[in-house]
Amino acid sequence: MINTHKIKKNKLSIFFLIGLLGILSCKNTNNSSEFKFQNTALNVQERVEDLINQMTLKEKVSQMRYDAPAIERLGVPEYNWWNECLHGVARAGEATVFPQGIGMGSTWNPDLIFEMGEVVSDEARAKHHKFVSEGKRGIYQGLTFWTPNINIFRDPRWGRGQETYGEDPYLTSRIGVNYIKGLQGDDENHYKVIATAKHFAVHSGPEKSRHEDNYQTSNKDLYETYLPAFEAAIKEAKVHSVMCAYNRYRDEACCGSNLLLNKILRDDWAFDGYVVSDCWAINDFWEPNKHDLVETPEEAAALAIDRGTDLNCGSVYDPSLSEAVLKELIDESKIDIALSRLFTARFKLGMFDPDEKVKWSKIPYEVVTSKHHYDLSEKVARESMVLLKNDNNTLPLSKNIKSIAVIGPNANSDQALLGNYHGTSKNNITPLLAIKNKLPNATINYALGSDLAIGWPMLTPVPNTVLKNGDSKGLKGDYYKNRNWEGQPEFTRTDKTIDFTWVTKRPLDNIEKDDFSVRWTGELVPKESGNYRIGLKASSGGKLYFNDSLQFKFSDDHEPKTKYFDVELVKGKSNTIKIEYFNYHADPQAQLVWAKTDQDLITPAIKAAKKSEVVILCLGLSPSIEGEEMPVLLEGFDKGDRSDITLPKTQIELMKKIQALGKPTILVLMNGSALAVNWAADNVPAILEAWYPGEFGGNAIADVLFGDYNPAGRLPVTFYKSVNDLPDFKNYNIENRTYKYFKGDPLFPFGHGLSYTNFTYSNLNIPKIVSIGHDIEVSVNVKNTGAIEGDEVVQLYISHEGKENAAIRTLVEFKRVHLKAGETKKLSYNINPKKYALINEDGKTIMEPGTLVLTVGGKQPGFKGLSNTHTTNVLEKRIILKK
């Protein structure tokens, strides 16, 4: 219990004396060799205890915030816990960018994702040691990564669903476990990096109300759907960090939940790592119109620590925890427990050991963006491609085509490659660029075709033809060696365009800790009158003035974001412009962007299509309008989430007008969540789902379109026909959600995906009778009966015949296998009892006599027409479960 009694007056003086004695008793020196905790011969627990015993309360509290400062007298360097590697090292300069999480899930290939984890952690380690060698220990430069997001993508409206591996707990667990293992490494002495399973545990939107929502579920749904991937991450992958969520669950804040953090995580699962709060989530405990759990920051900090949140991404713990101890809201021993977990992590990462004792420190920086890593990114992208429809073998296309129209807002969009939480990529091969490279002798007719959505134009860098600085084209740039534009600039130059990603080299030499700033000034003189949107994309912060008026400012953003304003411009009329940009971390970026918002985009697209043999429409969504807690309010979109799951109306209009031309048309979708492309499914002959496919995504798309790769990705989510088929977004019950419980007809089912060849299953061998508690042994032959080689994703589902409230079916095994034309492989599986058990309404695992229906094939059984995967088949047998 938290002690809420008022402190006596003399208590303050006692704590002051204790703190003073603590300081005096410690050796005030930076000579780390004099401290016991630096002795590498001791075990980690002894070293951690020694270090903590020497700290004052103030010092302890300082180490429980994400941006922990140095304790110089103890030789403890500063450390920033915040880092990201959702699909490649993010926000830390140049890195290999892999497909977004939802694309990783659609590979159905855990072994490939393990390899990806190894590659990402190679880059992470190499970057970290380079940063440390340069005296840099800031945000995005450490070894503790807040990845993976293994929440269940229960509703396609959730904007962050793109970060997950889909709607199925088992598929999510297999991809998540393998990514974690690849990241954390296999060394018994030191973690390679530390992964973080997030967001524990019942969390998947809505974004706009996540700071105040209180969700309820049955115990059945909790233990059957929301917990299994986390349990696997902890018990199998030994993930060393867990991030708690913003919302409440059963009236408790997830970052202050006795049920989640104490009973389930530590008592039931024996988790021995540390828990980190989602960023500023503990503020929600007391701030107005949020959870309303306590009245003060001190009470919030005490509650979070008492319930098991060890690290605060935010600013509540320091100094509020010190005050909480003084007010007897929390005992200092609880702080010591949390601090012990945190320093155990740092010791296990080798941060207090010489580099020669840490094998991961020897990874050379040359691995970053190496050819091997690029090749793997492209491989993951290819394996993530899902062919949804292919009437009359429209695909693959012939490479002898002389003219192709490539049309759509995502045809040449970098954002549609990268998704959110991404690194800085060197390549960004869009579908347009890849198709040009694939067919160098063909005529490629490109047109934007439409805005992304009504009121959301595609912004591109402002060209130097409209920027003026005296007699020069471009803007005058004053560059400073600080982040405040103070003093005289180091130098001044004219920048023709403001389109900078300073990855490998900063604009100024000898910059410490990446602090610099730039002030750009000049004029913008449009060549055409009309309505425009003008924006600034910046990685840290800045301001934009237009005609001497401040249009917007933003500061300390942790990832590149774009702010904008709308204005009417007159041809030839000069407008003054001033941009003040500052940087403080390892991924500096600044772009001045714009778009004309009243231009006709469809007419050029129709013209391009008419003079082409084939049309490739690149439509979908963008991380600029679906993602984490965004200010975006558009038709069909709601502050990061979606209020409708169709394509935006602008794109539907474009698609219908292009299709009406009668040209062979292929639809390529690039998006992070399921789309109700009902009209396209009925009218467009071929549809390829590409997700946000990473920096080589365009190559993967072109390889599939032109037959250089046979697609085999499978949907990790259900594609519904309408939001009207779904329960309320805030309803967290799984009834009528996901393939396991959805009673309607999906547009495309979970597990769906076509191939350019055909697969046939035979010789399914399973026992007719199985005793409860025993494994079910399964073997089956799968043959490639087509003319070309390809991958098949073998899927095993179990249904409980006649059991009330049981799932329609449950995925229990899967395997992605490669088969040459005509080749047959025999596959064997042991389905353990936990996989065929039921979860009752109390959340308990039960095994009862009855009949199981087991199906094996390259899809779910029972679908017809468009939703049927016609390039594979399914075998079915019944098993009697007896006592």
Side-chain angles (χ1 to χ4, degrees):
M1 292 291 291
I2 298 172
N3 190 341
T4 57
H5 292 167
K6 292 186 177 180
I7 188 169
K8 297 179 180 179
K9 290 183 179 179
N10 62 357
K11 203 76 173 179
L12 286 169
S13 60
I14 292 172
F15 272 95
F16 175 78
L17 288 172
I18 291 172
L20 182 60
L21 288 171
I23 293 173
L24 293 173
S25 67
C26 296
K27 296 182 179 182
N28 189 8
T29 176
N30 289 328
N31 186 354
S32 60
S33 62
E34 296 187 25
F35 296 115
K36 180 180 175 182
F37 70 82
Q38 294 290 351
N39 184 352
T40 59
L42 300 176
N43 64 46
V44 168
Q45 183 178 354
E46 289 179 287
R47 298 172 73 186
V48 169
E49 287 179 357
D50 177 69
L51 176 55
I52 293 174
N53 286 340
Q54 299 186 67
M55 289 185 185
T56 66
L57 175 61
K58 181 177 181 181
E59 288 170 338
K60 291 176 183 179
V61 169
S62 75
Q63 299 302 296
M64 298 170 70
R65 53 186 293 167
Y66 78 95
D67 51 347
I71 306 176
E72 294 184 4
R73 70 182 187 85
L74 296 177
V76 176
E78 67 175 299
Y79 184 65
N80 197 304
W81 293 80
W82 190 337
N83 216 334
E84 308 284 357
C85 66
L86 180 64
H87 52 120
V89 177
R91 308 174 185 172
E94 192 171 86
T96 305
V97 179
F98 290 82
Q100 177 60 289
I102 194 69
M104 294 163 63
S106 72
T107 68
W108 288 58
N109 191 343
D111 292 340
L112 179 67
I113 303 307
F114 172 80
E115 187 179 352
M116 175 182 157
E118 290 187 308
V119 160
V120 172
S121 54
D122 276 354
E123 295 199 358
R125 264 289 175 175
K127 282 179 170 292
H128 169 73
H129 289 288
K130 183 174 187 293
F131 286 135
V132 170
S133 71
E134 296 171 348
K136 299 174 181 178
R137 298 178 181 269
I139 193 170
Y140 312 134
Q141 295 173 342
L143 291 171
T144 43
F145 288 84
W146 296 348
T147 289
N149 184 340
I150 54 173
N151 290 131
I152 296 302
F153 198 177
R154 67 184 176 89
D155 193 301
R157 286 168 284 197
W158 187 34
R160 295 190 74 181
Q162 62 177 283
E163 302 172 24
T164 75
Y165 307 134
E167 69 185 31
D168 180 65
Y170 183 63
L171 175 62
T172 296
S173 73
R174 295 309 90 201
I175 300 294
V177 162
N178 277 269
Y179 194 42
I180 291 165
K181 286 183 175 180
L183 290 173
Q184 294 196 158
D186 58 358
D187 183 59
E188 62 182 16
N189 296 316
H190 296 107
Y191 287 112
K192 194 176 184 184
V193 306
I194 285 178
T196 302
K198 66 182 187 185
H199 310 81
F200 193 58
V202 183
H203 176 82
S204 50
E207 284 296 303
K208 68 179 182 181
S209 57
R210 63 184 183 172
H211 301 284
E212 62 194 65
D213 283 345
N214 180 26
Y215 300 129
Q216 308 288 335
T217 71
S218 66
N219 278 327
K220 173 180 168 62
D221 287 342
L222 177 64
Y223 283 91
E224 183 180 270
T225 299
Y226 292 110
L227 292 182
F230 286 98
E231 183 177 9
I234 288 154
K235 291 184 176 180
E236 296 180 52
K238 308 299 181 185
V239 71
H240 197 68
S241 173
V242 168
M243 177 180 282
C244 48
Y246 285 109
N247 54 276
R248 277 171 289 155
Y249 177 65
R250 295 183 179 174
D251 305 323
E252 293 184 305
C254 289
C255 290
S257 171
N258 190 58
L259 170 66
L260 295 177
L261 301 185
N262 286 324
K263 181 188 181 301
I264 294 174
L265 192 62
R266 297 205 182 273
D267 294 344
D268 295 349
W269 296 347
F271 175 66
D272 63 356
Y274 65 91
V275 174
V276 56
S277 74
D278 209 336
C279 293
W280 283 264
I282 297 173
N283 293 56
D284 297 343
F285 289 17
W286 89 88
E287 289 183 350
N289 303 315
K290 294 182 179 177
H291 295 323
D292 195 28
L293 296 171
V294 294
E295 295 182 356
T296 66
E298 292 81 12
E299 291 173 299
L303 175 60
I305 287 292
D306 183 70
R307 298 295 169 80
T309 299
D310 307 301
L311 179 67
N312 179 210
C313 179
S315 55
V316 180
Y317 282 5
D318 189 9
S320 298
L321 271 178
S322 296
E323 293 296 317
V325 171
L326 295 175
K327 294 177 179 178
E328 296 187 336
L329 299 173
I330 190 79
D331 191 85
E332 189 172 352
S333 63
K334 290 285 187 77
I335 290 176
D336 288 349
I337 291 171
L339 195 61
S340 176
R341 293 168 182 160
L342 297 179
F343 271 103
T344 295
R346 291 181 67 175
F347 274 92
K348 285 186 174 181
L349 285 164
M351 293 182 175
F352 294 92
D353 296 343
D355 279 354
E356 57 267 22
K357 289 185 174 291
V358 183
K359 80 171 190 177
W360 308 117
S361 68
K362 301 173 181 63
I363 298 172
Y365 193 80
E366 287 70 28
V367 303
V368 177
T369 66
S370 62
K371 184 180 185 302
H372 169 61
H373 293 190
Y374 281 166
D375 289 345
L376 186 63
S377 175
E378 194 163 343
K379 182 179 182 182
V380 177
R382 284 196 298 267
E383 292 204 13
S384 73
M385 298 289 121
V386 183
L387 184 59
L388 297 177
K389 182 184 179 185
N390 191 25
D391 282 0
N392 302 316
N393 295 321
T394 300
L395 293 176
L397 297 171
S398 169
K399 293 179 186 174
N400 296 320
I401 294 173
K402 300 300 182 184
S403 59
I404 302 174
V406 182
I407 297 170
N410 282 343
N412 200 35
S413 167
D414 289 352
Q415 282 188 311
L417 295 175
L418 303 178
N420 68 359
Y421 283 92
H422 60 83
T424 301
S425 53
K426 189 187 296 184
N427 298 282
N428 291 346
I429 300 176
T430 64
L432 175 63
L433 178 59
I435 291 168
K436 286 181 176 179
N437 293 337
K438 181 74 71 176
L439 303 181
N441 298 319
T443 299
I444 310 298
N445 299 306
Y446 166 68
L448 187 61
S450 75
D451 290 333
L452 196 62
I454 296 173
W456 201 262
M458 300 295 291
L459 301 175
T460 58
V462 177
N464 67 345
T465 54
V466 300
L467 297 177
K468 184 179 178 183
N469 170 31
D471 295 329
S472 302
K473 291 183 178 180
L475 298 181
K476 174 187 174 185
D478 294 321
Y479 288 75
Y480 300 82
K481 274 191 176 180
N482 55 70
R483 69 168 80 171
N484 304 312
W485 311 278
E486 293 177 345
Q488 293 296 314
E490 290 297 311
F491 66 84
T492 298
R493 72 184 186 196
T494 296
D495 291 320
K496 292 184 178 180
T497 58
I498 313 305
D499 185 17
F500 294 107
T501 302
W502 291 287
V503 178
T504 57
K505 183 175 175 59
R506 302 293 185 258
L508 299 167
D509 294 330
N510 301 319
I511 300 176
E512 295 183 3
K513 298 190 177 180
D514 298 307
D515 284 4
F516 70 91
S517 57
V518 190
R519 179 182 289 115
W520 287 287
T521 55
E523 302 169 70
L524 188 154
V525 186
K527 295 185 176 295
E528 186 177 353
S529 297
N531 297 317
Y532 288 81
R533 176 165 292 176
I534 299 174
L536 176 66
K537 180 180 180 181
S539 54
S540 291
K543 305 174 184 177
L544 190 147
Y545 297 83
F546 197 76
N547 289 330
D548 300 321
S549 176
L550 176 64
Q551 298 298 320
F552 55 76
K553 63 180 179 179
F554 51 108
S555 61
D556 294 341
D557 282 345
H558 295 297
E559 64 178 327
K561 293 182 180 178
T562 302
K563 288 196 174 184
Y564 62 87
F565 66 98
D566 294 328
V567 65
E568 183 177 356
L569 301 178
V570 177
K571 177 182 177 180
K573 183 178 179 180
S574 175
N575 302 270
T576 62
I577 189 167
K578 180 171 72 172
I579 302 166
E580 292 184 331
Y581 165 82
F582 72 84
N583 184 74
Y584 72 97
H585 63 68
D587 202 22
Q589 299 180 39
Q591 287 90 30
L592 177 65
V593 292
W594 76 341
K596 193 170 186 294
T597 58
D598 54 2
Q599 59 184 327
D600 175 13
L601 296 176
I602 286 187
T603 298
I606 292 174
K607 182 178 179 181
K610 283 182 176 179
K611 59 184 181 181
S612 302
E613 297 174 55
V614 173
V615 179
I616 298 173
L617 274 176
C618 298
L619 308 180
L621 305 175
S622 165
S624 66
I625 54 176
E626 64 166 348
E628 182 177 5
E629 198 175 6
M630 306 167 76
V632 176
L633 282 172
L634 300 168
E635 184 177 8
F637 299 87
D638 189 10
K639 293 191 173 181
D641 297 317
R642 298 160 63 203
S643 53
D644 199 351
I645 59 172
T646 64
L647 277 171
K649 287 183 179 179
T650 54
Q651 298 185 50
I652 294 174
E653 180 187 5
L654 169 66
M655 177 171 54
K656 288 181 176 181
K657 289 189 175 182
I658 294 297
Q659 180 66 18
L661 299 176
K663 299 279 186 176
T665 300
I666 293 90
L667 174 60
V668 176
L669 297 172
M670 300 172 74
N671 43 282
S673 49
L675 287 165
V677 286
N678 303 355
W679 190 90
D682 289 337
N683 294 278
V684 178
I687 305 173
L688 178 67
E689 175 57 75
W691 314 107
Y692 299 135
E695 63 181 298
F696 294 98
N699 284 348
I701 291 168
D703 285 347
V704 171
L705 294 180
F706 293 95
D708 290 327
Y709 184 77
N710 185 0
R714 297 292 192 270
L715 290 182
V717 291
T718 301
F719 274 43
Y720 303 95
K721 293 179 179 178
S722 170
V723 291
N724 296 327
D725 293 336
L726 295 167
D728 182 82
F729 191 8
K730 289 191 178 186
N731 180 351
Y732 268 68
N733 293 325
I734 302 300
E735 182 182 1
N736 206 36
R737 289 189 187 280
T738 79
Y739 78 97
K740 295 176 71 172
Y741 290 96
F742 181 59
K743 298 181 180 67
D745 295 320
L747 182 63
F748 297 109
F750 172 87
H752 174 78
L754 302 172
S755 173
Y756 292 153
T757 189
N758 293 284
F759 299 94
T760 301
Y761 291 77
S762 63
N763 297 331
L764 173 58
N765 291 307
I766 57 174
K768 292 182 179 180
I769 300 175
V770 172
S771 296
I772 288 175
H774 288 72
D775 289 356
I776 301 174
E777 296 182 359
V778 180
S779 67
V780 69
N781 291 344
V782 57
K783 181 178 182 179
N784 181 347
T785 56
I788 63 171
E789 65 180 347
D791 289 359
E792 170 71 330
V793 177
V794 183
Q795 304 168 41
L796 281 70
Y797 296 91
I798 279 181
S799 301
H800 290 262
E801 199 168 71
K803 295 291 186 181
E804 188 177 356
N805 298 327
I808 297 167
R809 65 183 58 91
T810 298
L811 180 72
V812 293
E813 290 284 357
F814 64 90
K815 179 73 173 178
R816 183 166 179 148
V817 295
H818 185 79
L819 293 166
K820 297 177 182 177
E823 183 181 8
T824 299
K825 286 186 178 179
K826 181 179 179 179
L827 303 174
S828 298
Y829 302 90
N830 284 325
I831 302 172
N832 66 51
K834 187 175 181 180
K835 291 181 180 177
Y836 64 74
L838 289 168
I839 305 294
N840 68 14
E841 293 305 314
D842 294 326
K844 303 297 184 183
T845 299
I846 59 171
M847 297 184 193
E848 298 176 338
T851 301
L852 300 180
V853 180
L854 184 140
T855 64
V856 183
K859 58 183 176 181
Q860 289 189 67
F863 292 98
K864 298 179 181 179
L866 183 68
S867 59
N868 180 36
T869 309
H870 59 78
T871 54
T872 189
N873 74 314
V874 171
L875 301 179
E876 176 181 298
K877 284 194 176 182
R878 281 169 166 73
I879 305 167
I880 303 299
L881 272 183
K882 69 172 187 177
K883 289 186 178 179

